[in-house]
Each structure stands twice: as structure tokens, then as C-alpha cells.
Amino acid sequence: GRARDVCARCEVQEACLRDAVLYNEPGIRGGLAERERRGLRRGMVAQAECGDDSLFRASVAFSSGRMDT
């Protein structure tokens, strides 16, 4: 959709996605819908105990179409 296209080109996409996950923001934020971010949030909570943010970084890459990062 149009919102996802805007997110893919945005220079603050990663920060926007992180805030949307942390603060449960409505709508498409950082290239992901609320339902997609709920799954991401569950994974992030599990990884936070280990200090690992690879799931978050992979989600940013996926939502922006940069799967090679």
C-alpha cells in the first residue's frame, strides 16, 4: 500500500518502527501494520533478555525491502 511505500523511503523508518513497537502505536508505522508489530514485539521481548536486536533489524530490512542487510 501507499503507507508502506512511504515508509520504505523514509530516513527515520527504523526509529519509527521501534517507537511503534514500544508504545503500541496504531496504523502502519515503520512499514509494518499493528498485527505484524505484535509478533515482532513478542520476539523482541524474548530477545531483550539476551541483548539481541537481530529480530528487530531483520524486520526493518524486510519492511523496507532491504533483505540483504
Side-chain angles (χ1 to χ4, degrees):
R2 187 166 183 246
R4 291 178 195 266
D5 293 341
V6 170
C7 289
R9 295 186 310 267
C10 182
E11 61 187 50
V12 295
Q13 178 193 18
E14 186 173 334
C16 183
L17 179 57
R18 187 178 300 267
D19 285 350
V21 169
L22 292 174
Y23 303 112
N24 201 24
E25 297 285 340
I28 300 224
R29 299 282 194 266
L32 297 178
E34 292 174 63
R35 189 178 82 205
E36 295 167 310
R37 291 193 313 267
R38 276 194 293 272
L40 175 60
R41 184 182 186 130
R42 284 191 291 271
M44 286 174 64
V45 168
Q47 287 184 329
E49 295 174 359
C50 301
D52 181 5
D53 70 347
S54 60
L55 178 61
F56 178 77
R57 287 184 282 115
S59 296
V60 171
F62 176 77
S63 66
S64 65
R66 298 185 312 244
M67 289 305 296
D68 59 318
T69 60

